[in-house]
Amino acid sequence: MTLERESARLEDPGAQLLDSISSRWARYGRMLLIGLGVIAVIVVGAFFTLRARAADEEQAAGKLAEANLYFWQGAYDRSLPIARQVIEQWPNSPSGIDAHRLAGDDQFWLGKFKESAAEYRLYLAKKKSGLLADAARRSLAYALESDLQFKEAAPVYESLVGKFDRESSAEFLYAAARCYRQLNQPKEADLTLKRLVDEYGETSNANRARMLRAELAAAPR
């Protein structure tokens, strides 16, 4: 009877499954526990990292708000050092990146066009697309033109056509033509003005473009 019971137990599929599970746990259980421990450490680390980043961004955003307040009050010389502080202390935070754009605006209104363009480029190196990026490109174009960098300004103006409303697109084309004229490239200027008249003929800059085209046509070659 004992042998029969033992034989039945050995042939029992449930017993074989339990033996297999026990064997596998003995072999792989420790590795599984180590793996779960590593995952737990990663999850906890990620949680504290994200919480620290959120705290940093909260501080950076507060400082940037202060800099923005001074900017809209026209106190550019007070806004600029605060924007730079945000850039230095929190360079990779969203506010730290946006502080480059504000610093560019401050520099522009302080008449430091070269420094302004440099700040806009730093901003655009990290923020390549979106409405704020296009606004920064527009500011970059104005800064370059104000710094007499007409060759660099013209293509930036042209890249913005179609990004905003139609009046703005016409304005950008007129500004690009203005740069080409400063570069003594009347053909490029005329082609740009023709595009303005053809594509944005109803805008306020269209009549100015027609007048300038006539002036270019009458100029001695």
Side-chain angles (χ1 to χ4, degrees), residues 5 18 47 69 91 111 121 143 178 181-182 194 201:
R5 284 198 301 270
L18 288 175
F47 170 77
L69 181 61
R121 281 177 167 142
R178 188 169 62 226
R181 194 179 184 195
Q182 289 290 337
K194 183 179 184 302

Side-chain angles (χ1 to χ4, degrees), residues 109-159:
W109 292 109
L110 287 169
K112 300 178 179 180
F113 304 121
K114 194 178 299 295
E115 293 85 348
S116 174
E119 289 291 351
Y120 292 134
R121 281 177 167 142
L122 287 170
Y123 173 79
L124 289 167
K126 296 184 177 182
K127 187 81 171 179
K128 300 181 185 300
S129 61
L131 184 60
L132 287 178
D134 288 333
R137 286 189 184 91
R138 176 177 58 190
S139 299
L140 172 62
Y142 286 126
L144 290 169
E145 184 183 7
S146 299
D147 195 44
L148 309 183
Q149 298 184 55
F150 304 115
K151 185 176 181 180
E152 289 76 15
V156 179
Y157 278 127
E158 290 178 302
S159 73

Side-chain angles (χ1 to χ4, degrees), residues 25-37:
W25 176 256
R27 185 178 302 176
Y28 301 114
R30 186 172 179 178
M31 294 174 60
L32 179 61
L33 289 174
I34 292 172
L36 290 173

Side-chain angles (χ1 to χ4, degrees), residues 26-60:
R27 185 178 302 176
Y28 301 114
R30 186 172 179 178
M31 294 174 60
L32 179 61
L33 289 174
I34 292 172
L36 290 173
V38 170
I39 292 171
V41 169
I42 292 172
V43 169
V44 171
F47 170 77
F48 283 109
T49 298
L50 290 174
R51 190 166 73 171
R53 287 180 181 174
D56 285 346
E57 172 56 20
E58 186 176 354
Q59 294 182 62

